[in-house]
Amino acid sequence: MKSYDTAACEILKKAEIAPGFFDLTVSCAEAARKARAGQFAQFLVPGKTLRRPISICGIDRANGTLRFVFQVRGEGTRALSLLNPGEPVNLLAPLGNGFDLGDTSRRALFVGGGIGVPPLLEAAKPFGKNAVLAAGFRSRDAVILKDDFESTGCETRIATDDGSFGRRGLVLDLIGDLAFDVVFACGPKPMLRAIAKLAAERGVPCYVSMEERMACGIGACLGCAVKLRGENGDYFGHVCKDGPVFDAETVVWEE
Amino acid sequence: MKSYDTAACEILKKAEIAPGFFDLTVSCAEAARKARAGQFAQFLVPGKTLRRPISICGIDRANGTLRFVFQVRGEGTRALSLLNPGEPVNLLAPLGNGFDLGDTSRRALFVGGGIGVPPLLEAAKPFGKNAVLAAGFRSRDAVILKDDFESTGCETRIATDDGSFGRRGLVLDLIGDLAFDVVFACGPKPMLRAIAKLAAERGVPCYVSMEERMACGIGACLGCAVKLRGENGDYFGHVCKDGPVFDAETVVWEE
Amino acid sequence: MADLQVNIAGVTFGNPLIAASGTFGFGREFAQFYPLSTLGGVACKGLTLRERAGNPPPRIAETPGGMLNSVGLQNPGVEHFIREDLPWLREQGTAVIANIAGNTPEEYCKMAERLSEAEVDMVELNISCPNVKQGGAAFGTSCESAAAVTAAVRRYCKKPLMVKLSPNVTDIGEIAAAVEGAGADALSMINTLTGMRIDLRTRRPILKNNTGGLSGPALLPVALRMVWQASSRVKIPVVGLGGISTWRDVVEMLLAGASAVQIGTVLFSDPYAPVKILEGLEAYLNENEIPAVSELTGKVKPW
Amino acid sequence: MADLQVNIAGVTFGNPLIAASGTFGFGREFAQFYPLSTLGGVACKGLTLRERAGNPPPRIAETPGGMLNSVGLQNPGVEHFIREDLPWLREQGTAVIANIAGNTPEEYCKMAERLSEAEVDMVELNISCPNVKQGGAAFGTSCESAAAVTAAVRRYCKKPLMVKLSPNVTDIGEIAAAVEGAGADALSMINTLTGMRIDLRTRRPILKNNTGGLSGPALLPVALRMVWQASSRVKIPVVGLGGISTWRDVVEMLLAGASAVQIGTVLFSDPYAPVKILEGLEAYLNENEIPAVSELTGKVKPW
Ligand SMILES: Cc1cc2nc3c(=O)[nH]c(=O)nc-3n(C[C@H](O)[C@H](O)[C@H](O)COP(=O)(O)OP(=O)(O)OC[C@H]3O[C@@H](n4cnc5c(N)ncnc54)[C@H](O)[C@@H]3O)c2cc1C
Ligand SMILES: Cc1cc2nc3c(=O)[nH]c(=O)nc-3n(C[C@H](O)[C@H](O)[C@H](O)COP(=O)(O)OP(=O)(O)OC[C@H]3O[C@@H](n4cnc5c(N)ncnc54)[C@H](O)[C@@H]3O)c2cc1C
Ligand SMILES: Cc1cc2nc3c(=O)[nH]c(=O)nc-3n(C[C@H](O)[C@H](O)[C@H](O)COP(=O)(O)O)c2cc1C
Ligand SMILES: Cc1cc2nc3c(=O)[nH]c(=O)nc-3n(C[C@H](O)[C@H](O)[C@H](O)COP(=O)(O)O)c2cc1C
Ligand code: FES
Ligand code: FES
């Protein structure tokens, strides 16, 4: 019956992997057992009305742990960044649909922008050398998880806004020459819209992980709406239940 | 100009001296230097709108520390009881008027009910052997600070509601035979009212430390009203500024 | 063991905890945490005559001690509910309350008529939703319109009729009395207070709807005051809600005059809240030797 | 360096932070923490024509993210203020706002007349205090009475006249427009929302007055919404307050339409809040290269 953990889990490891970017390993055996790449957790922040959604970056079923990488954006993520190993944390996980990886012998392109990169790591693993990551960051010191991707066999191509690392410019500039059979993307909406367009032009399936402000995280409050294309016209689906991963073709890319 | 600390002070010691009664030693040199017996501090409780008033139980100017003894009554005091040595705590102190001890060669009677006992300790010290404490507690395991009073030279007489320690009954029952020149009291209102009446009958000055729900703690919000007798009739004074210690004769003992 | 059962307008609830409309969907999502029979009842997501898409996102904003929502009554319509959701929910061993909202009295009446044939235990008239441009807010904020829509629906509704009041009014007692006079069998209160948040970076309201409804603990003292004021004006039972998050809040609400309570926003920080609140409530009743929870209703002694 | 100065109805404030009436006394208690010139202005404790004893205690109750008070306008009367408190406060280098409350329009007028001769910079008409049994609440909760008392006072008041609105109303925009029409030079909003808490042990309301006024962070989203609604209805400046506790809250309030802000309850948890808020506000303006704080007013772009 009970399919989520809300019990207090324990922080096992914490590291600041780039200024303002934190890497947490949490002990939560039940959630780890059920989790798949692309799902997320809702973190309770003491004193806050709403939980904070953070994507699962790594799943270690053997050790019963989940890994999360997040950026401090406001009070809630700041509070989470102050938690230390040994301390309890309450999370509701795993939530959402996760990536449908399909045939992992396909050439898979992973496209990530900034804090959109971590949710892709666990999905890239099974593709091994068939995966390429094209990732964009603000600058050299905001580059995260490059080694993690490379250690799964994945090729990495990096762009930075200021050219301080990799190529100067946008993620899209990194992939003009690449051949791929499927795309998995996470990052700012304009980036997702652009990659969705490119994939559509090439006739390649594209899966995007979306963000929206959430309350319940389980599909009950209808808070996290995203406009989707349906058989009978556009409608509002929900990131926490129908997503966070959507087939890019079903998303209505407004503005 | 600045006459209170609001800076973060550090908890140096914590002990649970009876079930639900906590004894905190806080490092706060400036407040310790200024404090006198009977004054109080306003403790900030993270996540709560209002600070919690707790009386000063001990002053150690040499070490720059204050001692507080409090009972867990609700969420705020529970949160304070979870603080540990080494952790910071934000307090505004010293506040209020404190006891005017006067001539310490007088025979002083200290009357305390339950958690009303701690504020009397620092006041009893200068009276040494001239002091007697009459204190009432719920039961044996709620008896606190007896040794502390005795080590100042003070005689102690204890009553418990259930007779499990000392005499069974009320504090007032402990003092029928005593001779005294001045009374200092702190505890539940009915107890204060009774002791005020007794002192008035014997023509002895009586000082009572009162409680009221507070917001600012410094006399600005007029929240902590207490009805006092004035030259032009009754009026509302304020526990945090005019008190917490009042001459019992000026208090309007209603109900 | 204390008796937790309460009766509101002829409907028996196994205990006084009801899930608040819009925070519990049609119950399915929460059924993975515990049997829905844990709850005395479930007030379903607000229904409209036809399917509604709801407002564009963002629909959620956090506030100190609370949150704003501008979901805007996204729902599949009353027929879909009766066909697809009700049969399942009916089987869960909890009382079912259908919450309805309309743009015109006629829409309300049609829904009430349709639901009168369905297996719901009670109809909750949402005359207070602040997110719908026309109708919703207006009905609940004047005595005349609140009474008019209640009276109209009363004629079509064969189920016990509970009217849910808006707190965005000058005099809640007056509205409560007007709605009682128009034939309501019970009141539920309060719905959300209208609020706003602004994003400093974009200088735009966080909610695409600009404003939204405030719910959560921040609301509790206002809800308690209004339940106290309204329940002293009417004879029909009042179901109290707004910011309840602990069993102590439940007891306060009952003392203030409520016969049962609803809980909403607390479910988002703790989906298991109903289980914990019930445990606390039972322990409180037993420790204080209060034989039935219904004895608490309205027992506050004002000064 | 950004220009922090703002002008409200002809009065210059060194910065947009004003202490809210009733939370700052007449300033003396806070002068031990920092010079009062830290603040742009001080709104004094609400004054009545004659001394008032205020309500019996308890007067304070905590709520989630907020608090209730039922102080009930305890004050020494307008003459005593002018004689004993104003001369000192006048010397502190901050603008002085006299907040007045009356039971009848005549009382308001007498006070306004008397204060017109005194060294205050502005008069703030409290038509919203919910704690006074007669008068107070009524004036602020209908357009007619709000306009009537404003118009009456306007004739006697030679100082800039700011009217402080109550949030306990159905349509704040309507009241704001009525008060502007009656001659107000500025609006301040919001006063407290009426709330209640009950003591489980005694089963009595915690406040001896049964109900009290809700203030503190819980109120912020309601205040922002009302300031936004009212400022879009009137041309006179609006001073925004209600639950402000950080510099970010101040910026939101200014964007929503306020020309200056007041802070109250935050002073109780942190008496140094004004110093910290100002630091944050200045840093924000400088980082974003906003030359004057007054440029933020009303800059929210609704969807
Ligand atoms: C499915 C999903 C997965 C996510 N995964 C990650 C991740 O792996 N790493 C990471 O760093 N961030 C991730 N985010 C974004 C993260 O949730 C926000 O940065 C975080 O909620 C901000 O909280 P705050 O208190 O620090 O900020 P505040 O701005 O103070 O938060 C205020 C409110 O807005 C909400 N909010 C603010 N920004 C966002 C946002 N971008 N998305 C959703 N809600 C927001 C908060 O949850 C909160 O309710 C994810 C978001 C979603 C929806
Ligand atoms: C001048 C003064 C000195 C005090 N000294 C001590 C002391 O030395 N040791 C000790 O254990 N207690 C002392 N108290 C009582 C102590 O302040 C309360 O027990 C405490 O505030 C309860 O907070 P809570 O969050 O645990 O309870 P809650 O009931 O959850 O508190 C809710 C609100 O009510 C207020 N409140 C509740 N009870 C009291 C009370 N009795 N007096 C004032 N406010 C109250 C709280 O401060 C808070 O604002 C003193 C009170 C005053 C006024
Ligand atoms: C996301 C959300 C959606 C809501 N939808 C509805 C609704 O459809 N119909 C309704 O009557 N109330 C609706 N409400 C209001 C709640 O039922 C309830 O009145 C309010 O949230 C206060 O209770 P709470 O503080 O316990 O959440 C909604 C509230 C929230 C938070
Ligand atoms: C203890 C207290 C006393 C108050 N007294 C007055 C008053 O005398 N006159 C008045 O206009 N407002 C009074 N108020 C209301 C405040 O000025 C302010 O409108 C309200 O508290 C909301 O702001 P805040 O959330 O920043 O405190 C009082 C508020 C508090 C908390
Ligand atoms: S957050 Fe509630 S439906 Fe997605
Ligand atoms: S608590 Fe503010 S005057 Fe005493």
Side-chain angles (χ1 to χ4, degrees):
Chain A
M1 158 140 305
K2 172 174 160 184
S3 78
Y4 307 108
D5 263 333
T6 52
C9 305
E10 193 189 326
I11 310 266
L12 295 182
K13 277 193 272 182
K14 179 176 93 167
E16 187 166 359
I17 55 173
F21 290 78
F22 290 82
D23 187 343
L24 282 190
T25 303
V26 179
S27 160
C28 44
E30 192 189 342
R33 190 161 42 77
K34 292 178 180 149
R36 41 186 290 186
Q39 289 188 299
F40 67 100
Q42 283 263 73
F43 281 75
L44 190 70
V45 184
K48 293 283 166 189
T49 317
L50 300 174
R51 289 173 178 258
R52 300 302 192 258
I54 305 287
S55 291
I56 293 169
C57 170
I59 305 168
D60 183 341
R61 290 198 185 80
N63 289 307
T65 65
L66 291 175
R67 178 182 180 193
F68 300 93
V69 171
F70 66 93
Q71 183 181 10
V72 172
R73 291 282 190 88
E75 285 179 44
T77 45
R78 182 170 315 282
L80 288 178
S81 77
L82 297 175
L83 291 172
N84 285 312
E87 292 182 352
V89 63
N90 181 314
L91 47 85
L92 199 59
L95 302 170
N97 57 0
F99 289 109
D100 189 357
L101 301 181
D103 176 0
T104 55
S105 68
R106 290 180 296 175
R107 289 164 302 174
L109 171 63
F110 290 85
V111 181
I115 196 61
V117 171
L120 303 173
L121 179 60
E122 190 68 29
K125 276 186 193 160
F127 286 93
K129 292 195 178 306
N130 298 325
V132 179
L133 170 73
F137 300 96
R138 218 184 40 248
S139 66
R140 164 181 285 273
D141 63 359
V143 175
I144 52 170
L145 302 181
K146 184 171 180 291
D147 296 347
D148 292 79
F149 274 90
E150 284 169 1
S151 70
T152 70
C154 179
E155 178 192 340
T156 60
R157 299 179 173 198
I158 309 287
T160 51
D161 296 347
D162 61 2
S164 56
F165 191 93
R167 181 164 169 162
R168 176 196 211 104
L170 299 176
V171 201
L172 271 289
D173 304 337
L174 298 169
I175 57 181
D177 61 317
L178 275 174
F180 44 87
D181 305 317
V182 58
V183 183
F184 301 96
C186 185
K189 223 167 187 175
M191 185 200 93
L192 296 182
R193 194 190 312 126
I195 187 72
K197 185 156 169 274
L198 184 92
E201 282 163 13
R202 299 229 197 150
V204 161
C206 175
Y207 301 95
V208 293
S209 178
M210 313 272 289
E211 289 188 0
E212 192 45 71
R213 287 175 188 254
M214 293 187 174
C216 72
I218 59 174
C221 76
L222 311 185
C224 58
V226 54
K227 198 176 260 188
L228 301 178
R229 224 176 286 288
E231 289 176 10
N232 312 313
D234 298 349
Y235 70 102
F236 287 116
H238 297 96
V239 170
C240 71
K241 195 175 186 177
D242 310 316
V245 179
F246 296 91
D247 180 337
E249 291 205 330
T250 68
V251 175
V252 178
W253 300 102
E254 286 172 326
E255 269 165 285
Chain B
M1 158 141 300
K2 172 172 161 188
S3 78
Y4 308 106
D5 263 332
T6 52
C9 305
E10 193 189 326
I11 310 266
L12 295 182
K13 276 194 273 181
K14 178 176 91 165
E16 188 167 359
I17 55 173
F21 290 79
F22 290 83
D23 186 344
L24 283 190
T25 303
V26 179
S27 159
C28 45
E30 193 188 342
R33 190 160 44 75
K34 292 180 182 147
R36 40 184 291 181
Q39 290 189 299
F40 68 100
Q42 283 262 72
F43 281 75
L44 191 70
V45 183
K48 293 284 165 187
T49 317
L50 300 175
R51 288 173 179 257
R52 300 302 192 257
I54 305 287
S55 291
I56 293 170
C57 170
I59 305 167
D60 183 342
R61 291 198 185 79
N63 288 308
T65 65
L66 290 175
R67 179 182 179 193
F68 300 93
V69 172
F70 66 92
Q71 184 183 9
V72 171
R73 292 279 191 88
E75 284 179 44
T77 45
R78 181 170 318 280
L80 288 179
S81 77
L82 297 174
L83 291 171
N84 285 310
E87 292 181 353
V89 63
N90 181 314
L91 48 85
L92 199 58
L95 301 170
N97 58 1
F99 288 109
D100 190 356
L101 301 182
D103 176 0
T104 55
S105 67
R106 290 181 295 173
R107 288 164 302 171
L109 171 64
F110 289 86
V111 180
I115 195 62
V117 171
L120 303 174
L121 178 60
E122 190 67 29
K125 276 187 193 159
F127 286 92
K129 292 196 181 303
N130 298 323
V132 180
L133 171 74
F137 301 97
R138 218 183 42 247
S139 66
R140 166 181 285 273
D141 65 357
V143 175
I144 52 170
L145 301 183
K146 185 170 178 293
D147 297 348
D148 291 80
F149 274 90
E150 285 168 1
S151 72
T152 70
C154 180
E155 177 192 338
T156 60
R157 299 180 173 198
I158 309 287
T160 52
D161 296 348
D162 60 2
S164 57
F165 191 91
R167 181 162 170 164
R168 178 195 209 104
L170 300 176
V171 201
L172 270 290
D173 304 338
L174 298 170
I175 57 181
D177 61 317
L178 274 175
F180 45 85
D181 306 317
V182 60
V183 182
F184 301 96
C186 185
K189 227 171 187 170
M191 186 201 91
L192 296 182
R193 198 191 308 127
I195 187 71
K197 187 155 167 277
L198 184 93
E201 283 163 12
R202 299 227 197 154
V204 162
C206 174
Y207 300 95
V208 293
S209 178
M210 312 272 289
E211 289 188 358
E212 193 44 74
R213 287 175 188 254
M214 293 186 174
C216 71
I218 59 172
C221 77
L222 312 186
C224 57
V226 54
K227 198 177 260 187
L228 301 178
R229 225 177 285 289
E231 288 174 12
N232 312 313
D234 297 351
Y235 70 101
F236 287 117
H238 297 96
V239 170
C240 71
K241 197 177 185 179
D242 309 317
V245 180
F246 295 91
D247 181 337
E249 291 205 329
T250 68
V251 175
V252 179
W253 299 101
E254 285 172 325
E255 269 167 283
Chain C
M1 289 303 290
D3 179 6
L4 287 176
Q5 211 165 283
V6 297
N7 184 296
I8 312 277
V11 180
T12 298
F13 293 82
N15 66 57
L17 270 199
I18 303 169
S21 176
T23 64
F24 207 75
F26 301 113
R28 286 188 211 269
E29 291 79 14
F30 284 88
Q32 35 192 345
F33 297 114
Y34 38 79
L36 297 192
S37 57
T38 307
L39 288 153
V42 169
C44 299
K45 174 66 197 169
L47 300 167
T48 50
L49 195 54
R50 320 226 173 283
E51 180 182 354
R52 261 181 74 96
N55 290 324
R59 294 177 173 183
I60 301 285
E62 201 176 43
T63 73
M67 62 171 278
L68 300 174
N69 89 82
S70 60
V71 169
L73 287 176
Q74 172 168 13
N75 81 94
V78 69
E79 286 302 335
H80 185 280
F81 163 73
I82 291 172
R83 207 173 53 240
E84 305 290 331
D85 301 297
L86 183 56
W88 177 84
L89 188 53
R90 187 67 287 169
E91 296 302 305
Q92 306 306 309
T94 191
V96 177
I97 302 174
N99 177 289
I100 61 173
N103 288 313
T104 60
E106 293 69 42
E107 284 184 12
Y108 276 108
C109 292
K110 276 193 194 146
M111 280 189 277
E113 193 172 25
R114 184 67 188 85
L115 287 162
S116 293
E117 304 153 12
E119 296 263 326
V120 303
D121 295 298
M122 196 179 239
V123 171
E124 182 176 51
L125 211 63
N126 175 8
I127 57 169
S128 42
C129 180
N131 295 324
V132 182
K133 292 271 150 63
Q134 297 157 6
F139 287 122
T141 51
S142 90
C143 290
E144 297 69 39
S145 55
V149 68
T150 304
V153 170
R154 176 70 292 175
R155 283 193 295 274
Y156 289 89
C157 187
K158 305 216 163 45
K159 305 282 180 179
L161 179 63
M162 180 153 80
V163 179
K164 185 165 178 184
L165 304 187
S166 164
N168 298 298
V169 298
T170 307
D171 185 344
I172 194 78
E174 204 173 67
I175 308 248
V179 165
E180 177 185 47
D185 300 311
L187 301 176
S188 56
M189 56 194 296
I190 55 179
N191 212 310
T192 55
L193 261 175
T194 310
M196 184 178 197
R197 285 313 296 265
I198 297 167
D199 185 323
L200 296 200
R201 209 178 43 74
T202 63
R203 296 193 176 179
R204 310 209 75 158
I206 289 183
L207 300 176
K208 195 71 161 258
N209 191 49
N210 295 324
T211 63
L214 177 65
S215 64
L219 210 54
L220 180 68
V222 177
L224 287 167
R225 184 261 297 184
M226 289 192 165
V227 165
W228 179 63
Q229 289 179 331
S231 64
S232 65
R233 283 284 294 268
V234 300
K235 293 205 177 55
I236 52 178
V238 173
V239 173
L241 73 153
I244 290 173
S245 55
T246 67
W247 66 264
R248 309 188 125 256
D249 299 342
V250 171
V251 177
E252 272 189 70
M253 193 59 93
L254 298 172
L255 291 172
S259 298
V261 303
Q262 294 183 8
I263 53 169
T265 301
V266 66
L267 294 162
F268 305 155
S269 54
D270 185 5
Y272 291 100
V275 179
K276 296 176 189 166
I277 289 176
L278 271 178
E279 273 174 22
L281 185 61
E282 274 203 84
Y284 167 80
L285 294 169
N286 291 334
E287 275 163 31
N288 291 277
E289 295 173 3
I290 299 166
V293 72
S294 57
E295 289 191 8
L296 295 172
T297 298
K299 285 289 156 54
V300 66
K301 284 175 290 181
W303 295 100
Chain D
M1 291 301 292
D3 180 5
L4 288 176
Q5 209 166 284
V6 297
N7 185 295
I8 312 277
V11 181
T12 299
F13 294 81
N15 66 59
L17 270 199
I18 302 169
S21 177
T23 65
F24 208 74
F26 300 112
R28 286 188 211 267
E29 291 79 14
F30 284 88
Q32 35 191 348
F33 297 113
Y34 38 80
L36 297 192
S37 58
T38 306
L39 288 152
V42 170
C44 300
K45 173 65 195 169
L47 299 167
T48 49
L49 195 53
R50 319 224 173 285
E51 181 181 353
R52 263 181 73 97
N55 290 324
R59 294 177 172 181
I60 302 286
E62 200 175 46
T63 73
M67 63 172 276
L68 301 175
N69 89 82
S70 58
V71 169
L73 287 177
Q74 173 168 13
N75 82 94
V78 70
E79 286 303 332
H80 184 280
F81 163 73
I82 291 173
R83 209 175 52 239
E84 305 291 331
D85 301 297
L86 183 56
W88 177 84
L89 187 53
R90 187 68 286 168
E91 296 302 305
Q92 306 306 311
T94 191
V96 177
I97 302 176
N99 178 287
I100 62 173
N103 288 312
T104 60
E106 292 69 42
E107 284 184 12
Y108 277 107
C109 292
K110 276 193 195 146
M111 280 188 278
E113 194 172 21
R114 185 66 188 88
L115 287 161
S116 293
E117 303 152 12
E119 295 263 326
V120 303
D121 295 299
M122 197 178 239
V123 170
E124 182 176 52
L125 213 62
N126 175 8
I127 57 170
S128 41
C129 179
N131 296 322
V132 181
K133 292 272 150 59
Q134 299 157 5
F139 286 122
T141 51
S142 91
C143 289
E144 297 69 38
S145 56
V149 68
T150 304
V153 170
R154 178 69 290 174
R155 282 193 295 276
Y156 290 87
C157 188
K158 305 216 162 49
K159 305 283 181 180
L161 180 63
M162 180 152 81
V163 179
K164 185 166 177 183
L165 304 187
S166 164
N168 298 296
V169 298
T170 307
D171 185 344
I172 194 78
E174 205 172 67
I175 307 246
V179 164
E180 177 185 47
D185 301 309
L187 301 175
S188 55
M189 56 194 294
I190 56 179
N191 211 311
T192 56
L193 261 175
T194 309
M196 186 179 197
R197 284 313 295 266
I198 297 168
D199 185 324
L200 296 199
R201 209 177 43 74
T202 63
R203 296 193 177 179
R204 311 209 72 158
I206 289 183
L207 299 176
K208 195 73 160 259
N209 191 51
N210 296 324
T211 62
L214 177 66
S215 64
L219 209 55
L220 181 68
V222 177
L224 287 166
R225 182 263 295 183
M226 289 193 166
V227 165
W228 180 62
Q229 289 178 330
S231 64
S232 65
R233 283 286 292 270
V234 299
K235 292 204 176 59
I236 52 177
V238 173
V239 173
L241 74 154
I244 290 173
S245 55
T246 67
W247 67 263
R248 308 188 127 258
D249 300 342
V250 171
V251 176
E252 272 189 70
M253 193 59 93
L254 298 172
L255 291 171
S259 298
V261 303
Q262 294 183 7
I263 54 169
T265 300
V266 65
L267 295 161
F268 305 155
S269 54
D270 186 2
Y272 291 100
V275 178
K276 296 177 188 165
I277 289 176
L278 271 179
E279 272 174 24
L281 185 62
E282 272 203 84
Y284 167 80
L285 294 169
N286 291 334
E287 275 163 30
N288 290 277
E289 295 172 5
I290 300 166
V293 73
S294 57
E295 289 190 7
L296 295 172
T297 298
K299 285 289 155 54
V300 66
K301 284 177 290 183
W303 296 98

